[in-house]
Amino acid sequence: MEKRIPDEEKQEKVNALDGWKLDGKFIVKRFRFGDFLTGIQFVNNVAEYAEDIQHHPFISIDYKMVTVKLTSWQAKGLTDLDLECAVKYDSLYKQITE
């Protein structure tokens, strides 16, 4: 099981991420897309990666905006795996939008 990041370290680690925000036990980011289907393609890519590593985010789709929330239920909070996923999702976003 992943080890939870201590509360006193969470904000510093989240600040090192690109645009992610700390929200209680979650980290959250909104991804904007030029059109609906590109957002859906991103969600599909995130879903495939999440399924491969068996660590699934909360995903909300609001037309051209996709919100991703990460936490680790077993650890009851953020883990390094959540941070690694955030970096991976940023990379998937750049692959689609650049």
Side-chain angles (χ1 to χ4, degrees):
M1 181 173 92
E2 288 283 320
K3 186 177 165 196
R4 188 173 72 227
I5 297 169
D7 288 344
E8 59 272 11
E9 295 177 23
K10 282 195 298 191
Q11 190 63 61
E12 181 182 341
K13 289 182 179 265
V14 173
N15 287 346
L17 299 172
D18 182 21
W20 289 82
K21 303 286 185 229
L22 189 59
D23 183 9
K25 292 183 177 185
F26 294 91
I27 54 174
V28 180
K29 184 169 181 178
R30 289 183 173 157
F31 296 88
R32 295 181 190 276
F33 297 90
D35 60 79
F36 177 72
L37 288 179
T38 303
I40 295 300
Q41 182 183 355
F42 170 74
V43 168
N44 286 333
N45 292 346
V46 166
E48 285 180 27
Y49 177 75
E51 190 65 16
D52 286 346
I53 66 166
Q54 287 298 295
H55 189 65
H56 303 90
F58 287 85
I59 301 171
S60 299
I61 303 167
D62 298 296
Y63 185 40
K64 297 190 280 185
M65 172 106 60
V66 174
T67 304
V68 178
K69 292 174 64 172
L70 289 161
T71 195
S72 294
W73 291 111
Q74 286 184 327
K76 296 182 172 75
L78 288 180
T79 66
D80 286 333
L81 181 58
D82 297 306
L83 303 177
E84 291 165 17
C85 287
V87 171
K88 177 65 175 181
Y89 299 157
D90 286 341
S91 172
L92 292 173
Y93 177 75
K94 287 177 185 161
Q95 288 174 20
I96 282 183
T97 58
E98 291 180 354

